[in-house]
Amino acid sequence: MRGHGFWSDVKKYRTLLLMLVPGVLFFLLFAYIPMAGIVLAFKQFNYSGGIFGSPWNGMDNFRFFFESGDAWRVTRNTALYNIAFIVVNNLLQIFAAILLFEVAGKWFRKITQTVMFLPYFISWVVVGAIAYNLFNYDVGTINVLLNKIGMESIDIYNTAAYWPVILVLVSAWKALGYGTIMYLAAITSIDTEMYEAAEIDGANIFQRIRKITIPNLMPTIIILVLLAIGNIFRGDFGMFYNMVGNNGLLFSSTDVIDTFVFRSLITSNEIGMSAAAGFYQSVLGFATIMLANYAVRKYDKDHALF
Amino acid sequence: MKQQKRRFMFLLAMVFAVSALLSACGGNGGGKDASGAKNANTGSNAAVNSANSGGDQAGPDISQEVKLKMLLVGGKPADYDEVFGELNKLLKEKINATVETEFLDWADWTQKYPLKFAANEDFDIVYTANWAFYNDQARKGGFLELTEDMLKTYMPKTWEAMPAVSWDQAKVDGKLYMVPNNNMEVTDKVVIIREDLRKKYNLEPINSPETYAAYVKAVGANEKGMSAFGAKPADGWKWHELDQALLEQQNEWNLIDYSFPLAYKLTDEKGQLFNVYDTPEFRELLTYYKDLADNKGWSKNIVSNKNDVWQDMKAGKVGSYAQTLGTVGANLAELRRDKPEYEGAIVDLTPDKKKIASISTQNGMAIHATSKNAERSLMLIDLLQNDKEIHDLTMYGIAGKHYEPVGDDRFSAGPSAANYTGFSNWGWNSPLNRKDASYPVEADEILKDWEPKVHHFALETFVFDDSKVKNEVSNVGNVMLRYAIPLEYGLIDDLDKGQAELIKQLNSAGIGKIQEELQSQIDAFLAAQQ
């Protein structure tokens, strides 16, 4: 009997369990315990009461967000930007990973990987400053070049229409290296015998990519996309704030929930209202990930997260 | 094998121990803080009570040595250790205490400052001001309430020196939480220009919006690579930076709070509010701004600016900018020292209008609500503000090194002046302040000229309690950033349409509700004064 008890299982898988501990601790400390702070969304926060002692105020904290008339606009912007980021970034990353895999030459591959990875380490503050020096109307690099070849300056910072494109490109540029490495690792783990067999059967390189690489990548793609979908209602604050700043002319096409809430509440320091907005994002995110996972399960049970 | 097992068990035990410890920290943090706060409150109250009963005979009890902790805003000066080391020697002698200071850097103090209170960190004294969360924190219970008895007992010198009106101005909902500074300032904005450029283009002396426009246009048209007017990096400020001069001062209005566009006329004793965006004066000003913007008065990207405007001006990239008299006075002195090839000048665009004096809460010091050493903290503030030796030391550094005393009330910069400056020691400004001997005479003259024009009015000390209309204030602020700023900087071509859109958006954001609430508070305030 002793051989099949709970404790003997613990003993049997102790190494695996030990490896699990840091991850569990991380989520316990930074995700589960702070979750109690959600109560702030329903409280009128004051310092003497603290998180748990402050008086309740029902749904008052949510009024600010929904009465602003901007709730729909910023929610839509957030979701659309994230969908664009997920599609564009993943396609580019898969494409780059397949190219790198097929290209021979260890040195070439390593150097390309490193160069692609570098932007990932640049902080958004720095990217924002670089962008300002590129796009500035009077002295920006792009406009100086345009003037040199006899064209008119373009007023990027005052034209909202350019920004969705700019933001998608910048996001792709920054995330490319990181995602490529993940996909490259997945491709490298595909059984090479399949490629050899295909080659012997006379499949050309495009056929091999279509019939072997992509189907074998599918589980990885689905998991990464599913994880990204859970965050679809969270704007990348660092990116949007540093690229756009407080430029009111661009808000119509660049405002996401996070920047909107930050801007509205930074001067009033209403912790409760910010918590309410965060809660709203979490609820939406939870709903989308449940739906997406349900859809994947319908399609193929093995690929779903849970 | 056995040893391996033992090692594993040890590791596992460690992991559990660490996780238990960590989660205990996380779980109890709030509770511990709250109870700590309660204890400290009763503690300091008890101390105050006992001091009140026995204070007459013996004075405050300072037999126990204490360490005080102070929070100031600004960068930590390089010679902090030296100057505050000296200070601590004096303090040890006078009140048997030492002080340690933490500096909240300018770059992110607005985020850190409220967090210090939210996390209930351990500190005793904190810088505060009407522009630095004073009302907000006072209402949230971040500061210790100061009673008249406490002030008389622990800060007799300050009690004697401070005018009664300054105490009154610092009250929030009838309660005092701050020891305000004791120093009159005028809040009006002036403009610093490049006098050499004005002369180069043979322009009239600048003393009105029209003469200033001529300067801006001349510089915009002829100086390549220079913006005639510059603004600070966009940090959420919701106005054109000339609005205070050209909208508020020019029309003798007073905006209650720069978070929303409601003002009353200075001469209106009833304090009748109106929306400044919905006035012919604002419409005229829009035309004025648009004209400047179209004549290259400022960069098309002014709202995305990321550079420090004063540094840009020193570098010859900006031709003018607006600030308070004190700031541009110091700027001018700096320009004369560092860039003698440029000639600067301070100009007042509204010289004949009524001036408004800053109220005492422009700078001040407060006691943290949970401080365990409130008495000694008050004694320290008393010394900082009104003890000549300590005041000189903390304001200007070490004589002969950071400053040279000139007579009794002036100073000149010492060899390492730059190593002791740039933080909020203005919290204890007082009549003991020395004047910078290199401070431009013009600036002093402007101030002297202003003094008879300073207008005192019934609503001077009125403070708005926005707790009922917070949603509306947040939303109105957003509308101002999105619709008013681009309109004012001339980035929208159709001014009438732009103004109509702005007003429409403000109405749907709830400006009417703010106005109603504010008006009723003003009416009540005025009624209570009679």
Side-chain angles (χ1 to χ4, degrees), chain B residues 482-496:
Chain B
R482 186 165 167 205
Y483 295 95
I485 291 237
L487 184 64
E488 291 196 274
Y489 280 113
L491 300 170
I492 290 169
D493 285 326
D494 189 338
L495 297 180
D496 288 317

Side-chain angles (χ1 to χ4, degrees), chain B residues 96-153:
Chain B
N96 198 19
T98 53
V99 64
E100 188 192 329
T101 311
E102 184 179 344
F103 292 88
L104 305 179
D105 199 82
W106 289 122
D108 52 7
W109 72 277
T110 49
Q111 282 125 53
K112 279 190 180 157
Y113 190 97
L115 279 180
K116 291 279 171 193
F117 290 88
N120 197 16
E121 280 191 21
D122 179 26
F123 60 91
D124 302 292
I125 309 176
V126 55
Y127 175 83
T128 184
N130 50 20
W131 51 273
F133 302 103
Y134 176 57
N135 293 308
D136 193 40
Q137 295 296 346
R139 288 211 173 90
K140 281 188 181 144
F143 301 131
L144 184 72
E145 189 194 337
L146 307 176
T147 62
E148 208 175 300
D149 282 337
M150 288 161 88
L151 299 176
K152 279 183 190 155
T153 317

